[in-house]
Amino acid sequence: MTAPLRIGNASGFYGDRRAAVREMLEGGPLDVLTGDYLAELTLLILGRDRAKDPSRGYARTFLGQMEECLGLAVDRGVRIVVNAGGLNPAGLAGALRELAGRLGVGASVAHIEGDDLLPRAAELGLGSPLTANAYLGAFGIAECLRAGADVVVTGRVTDASLVVGPAIARFGWGRDDLDALAGAVVAGHVLECGAQATGGNLSCFDEHPLEKLLHPGFPLAEISADGSCVLTKHPGTGGVVDRDTVTAQLLYEIGGPRYGGPDVVARFDTIELHDDGPDRVRISGVRGERPPPTTKVCLNSLGGHRNEVTFVLTGDRIDAKPAFVRAQFEAALPARPAELVWSQLGDGRADADTEAGASVLLRCQALDPSPDVVGRAFSGAAVEMALAGYPGFHLTAPPGNGSPYGVYTAAYVPQTEVPHVAVLPDGSRVDVAPPEGTRPIQEVSSGSSCAECSGTRSTTVDGPTRSAPLGAVARARSGDKGGTANIGIWARTDGAAAWLAATLTPDRVRELLPEAAGLPVDVHPLPNLRAVNIVIDGLLGRGVAASTRFDPQGKAIGEWLLSRTLEIPEEFL
């Protein structure tokens, strides 16, 4: 029997805990250490870096981590696979070789190319973006590891590919090993966001001792030859691994039950979870299907410039003050921006015993193609109201210049149009062929017009009910994919899960979350996980970089939904 492959994670985003690489290398045995540094917003940031200096475009913090830990990784025989190459994986690979030479560490470095489609954007019908990166699969990473690479640097591969690639190299999977590949995709999806799988951002955080969650360790997966795995963490580290933490991450930023990628479609409705001891959860039963003929492309474009001012309104006659502020400020603007968005944060308690409790924040955001329209003249107009405005006038920050913002969009191109090249440690180049057998993903919509999905649900429950917040019976995690928000909701019993699936219809979601009124809402049941996944298209506008929403990445929408009150069967309470 081939021993399980132990793969850890040390980064969930560009800016994650710097010490995590050392913690994972020193905390216990590992075969591979991965790090996810990329997101749609990160590629925009790296694109602006590259525009200023073509030698940039990669996650520079990773170099700092390697300066501290590359020798340690080589000494312990741990191979490193990261997507920190961003828009310039060859540049980062070269910098790593230079670093290894300076440190006297015998580390071989390989990298992946082909995801950057910017030079061909017009040819492929992608317009004129700042960045255009296709999501590559895992087989190039496997080629690099088979060639002896100690470090593999990639650009925009799928997040899960960082885990799938080492598993392919270890177990010799081919394109037809769909179930095994799908199982590794699921393991990679759980690992990719670091401490979110070990107790971070957990909606039931208060059910664990405070000190246990103060510094959660990072996760690792013990992957078997059939693609099943055990999710765990190094012994003695903080945090917790249980069905809640694993379910929360499984539901994070997904759509329907078919989770598509360039190598395989993983069926999230086939996932089975089982306790496997303290801080150990076994994932098995994952079925895989043929990948789609197209792959996703992340496009970032400069959308214009933005600025904002926030007025503080306090105390007496607070209901009348917003209209006064809006009228006075808009009349004072030297030029009206293309978009002017007002939002109010807080309610201002009557008879409050603190000034903060008696106050609300009134925020005005401006977006415009011209930096001058939303520059200092915009914020300066607010300052000029200081002695001529509403009683109690003050702002949360001094005036400032505007800043550029980006717009993320997703496109799809045939996999056959995307080069996928593994550049091995000796400099030789291996072309990775796209999958030969593909099939379009056919996801069943669960919108209110879908009789198959919603017509058979019933909210009728025998027995008494009680008005209570949804959080009394459910847990949640939410996130973003561009302008789309997803909310994963799960229960701890089969009965409560069935009630969730029957109750949270698209129309009911719109009632509970009025900000979703008029937007497309899909609700996907995942019975094996005792969960449903809610997808709200357009809730986040044009994505985090351009969003004017209070919570631009939708990270807290799940917590808002859990706080909403509805009639819940007492048997589940």
Side-chain angles (χ1 to χ4, degrees), residues 323-334:
F324 180 23
V325 175
R326 291 184 60 163
Q328 188 178 38
F329 181 58
E330 291 185 19
L333 290 174

Side-chain angles (χ1 to χ4, degrees), residues 307-328:
N307 203 345
E308 69 176 71
V309 294
T310 302
F311 302 88
V312 183
L313 315 179
T314 305
D316 192 34
R317 289 154 294 177
I318 198 168
D319 292 341
K321 290 173 182 174
F324 180 23
V325 175
R326 291 184 60 163
Q328 188 178 38

Side-chain angles (χ1 to χ4, degrees), residues 38 43 46-47 50 54 56-57 85-90 112-121 123-124 126 129-136 154-157 295-300 413 417-421:
L38 298 185
L43 287 171
L46 295 178
R50 184 175 64 176
R56 297 282 179 86
L87 302 177
N88 189 7
I112 303 296
E113 294 181 354
D115 64 292
D116 191 351
L117 302 181
L118 188 62
R120 300 171 55 211
E123 169 197 341
L124 295 171
L126 303 176
L130 176 68
T131 68
N133 294 83
Y135 285 76
L136 300 180
T154 80
R156 181 67 283 180
V157 299
T295 190
K296 184 178 177 181
V297 182
C298 172
L299 302 176
N300 280 296
V413 300
E417 290 290 335
V418 180
H420 186 174
V421 181

Side-chain angles (χ1 to χ4, degrees), residues 304-514:
H305 294 76
R306 66 189 301 167
N307 203 345
E308 69 176 71
V309 294
T310 302
F311 302 88
V312 183
L313 315 179
T314 305
D316 192 34
R317 289 154 294 177
I318 198 168
D319 292 341
K321 290 173 182 174
F324 180 23
V325 175
R326 291 184 60 163
Q328 188 178 38
F329 181 58
E330 291 185 19
L333 290 174
R336 187 173 181 86
E339 292 184 59
L340 203 61
V341 181
W342 291 88
S343 58
Q344 184 169 312
L345 313 180
D347 295 319
R349 298 195 307 270
D351 194 26
D353 55 5
T354 65
E355 182 178 340
S359 301
V360 300
L361 303 181
L362 184 65
R363 184 172 65 161
C364 181
Q365 297 179 85
L367 296 87
D368 196 89
S370 169
D372 297 329
V373 171
V374 295
R376 189 166 289 270
F378 169 81
S379 54
V383 174
E384 291 178 0
M385 293 165 51
L387 302 181
Y390 62 93
F393 178 101
H394 62 290
L395 305 172
T396 59
N401 292 318
S403 59
Y405 71 90
V407 176
Y408 160 79
T409 55
Y412 293 86
V413 300
Q415 292 209 51
T416 53
E417 290 290 335
V418 180
H420 186 174
V421 181
V423 184
L424 306 184
D426 63 2
S428 59
R429 303 170 67 85
V430 177
D431 291 324
V432 179
E436 293 182 359
T438 62
R439 186 173 73 184
I441 299 176
Q442 295 181 335
E443 203 73 88
V444 177
S445 169
S446 58
S448 57
S449 62
C450 174
E452 178 184 348
C453 300
S454 60
T456 58
R457 297 178 187 171
S458 171
T459 56
T460 302
V461 176
D462 295 331
T465 63
R466 188 192 326 156
S467 180
L470 183 59
V473 72
R475 309 288 181 261
R477 175 162 290 164
S478 57
D480 68 311
K481 281 297 178 186
T484 298
N486 99 285
I487 312 164
I489 302 282
W490 73 97
R492 288 177 171 170
T493 66
D494 292 338
W499 175 82
L500 278 178
T503 301
L504 294 178
T505 63
D507 286 342
R508 194 64 182 277
V509 170
R510 294 185 186 97
E511 292 175 9
L512 294 170
L513 303 179

Side-chain angles (χ1 to χ4, degrees), residues 82-98:
V82 296
N83 61 14
L87 302 177
N88 189 7
L92 178 55
L96 283 169
R97 293 187 189 98
E98 180 183 342

Side-chain angles (χ1 to χ4, degrees), residues 159-171:
D159 298 340
S161 289
L162 302 176
V163 171
V164 180
I168 293 170
R170 165 66 72 89
F171 301 119

Side-chain angles (χ1 to χ4, degrees), residues 68-329:
E68 298 172 4
C69 298
L70 181 59
L72 178 61
V74 171
D75 289 345
R76 299 201 170 203
V78 179
R79 303 167 95 175
I80 295 174
V81 182
V82 296
N83 61 14
L87 302 177
N88 189 7
L92 178 55
L96 283 169
R97 293 187 189 98
E98 180 183 342
L99 174 65
R102 178 161 52 84
L103 296 176
V105 176
S108 60
V109 181
H111 71 275
I112 303 296
E113 294 181 354
D115 64 292
D116 191 351
L117 302 181
L118 188 62
R120 300 171 55 211
E123 169 197 341
L124 295 171
L126 303 176
S128 303
L130 176 68
T131 68
N133 294 83
Y135 285 76
L136 300 180
F139 281 85
I141 294 171
E143 289 283 354
C144 294
L145 293 172
R146 288 185 184 126
D150 298 303
V151 182
V152 181
V153 172
T154 80
R156 181 67 283 180
V157 299
T158 68
D159 298 340
S161 289
L162 302 176
V163 171
V164 180
I168 293 170
R170 165 66 72 89
F171 301 119
W173 297 335
R175 292 281 188 184
D176 293 331
D177 293 309
L178 297 175
D179 292 346
L181 291 170
V185 164
V186 170
H189 181 69
V190 177
L191 291 183
E192 70 186 51
C193 288
Q196 278 199 164
T198 56
N201 299 347
L202 188 64
S203 64
C204 51
F205 71 97
D206 54 343
E207 299 178 10
H208 300 279
L210 174 63
E211 61 276 8
K212 200 169 186 177
L213 298 182
L214 294 180
H215 191 81
F218 274 61
L220 64 93
E222 300 169 354
I223 302 179
S224 298
D226 64 354
S228 64
C229 69
V230 172
L231 264 296
T232 185
K233 61 185 183 69
H234 284 320
T237 57
V240 61
V241 176
D242 61 15
R243 287 185 61 140
D244 281 327
T245 67
V246 173
T247 299
Q249 184 55 31
L250 284 172
L251 297 174
Y252 183 62
E253 295 183 344
I254 66 169
R258 286 177 166 86
Y259 186 82
D263 297 323
V264 68
V265 172
R267 290 286 299 271
F268 272 46
D269 54 351
T270 63
I271 296 172
E272 297 177 8
L273 301 183
H274 299 281
D275 294 326
D276 196 62
D279 289 317
R280 293 175 63 85
V281 174
R282 179 171 294 279
I283 300 178
S284 61
V286 185
R287 301 298 303 273
E289 296 175 347
R290 293 286 178 191
T294 59
T295 190
K296 184 178 177 181
V297 182
C298 172
L299 302 176
N300 280 296
S301 303
L302 291 178
H305 294 76
R306 66 189 301 167
N307 203 345
E308 69 176 71
V309 294
T310 302
F311 302 88
V312 183
L313 315 179
T314 305
D316 192 34
R317 289 154 294 177
I318 198 168
D319 292 341
K321 290 173 182 174
F324 180 23
V325 175
R326 291 184 60 163
Q328 188 178 38
F329 181 58

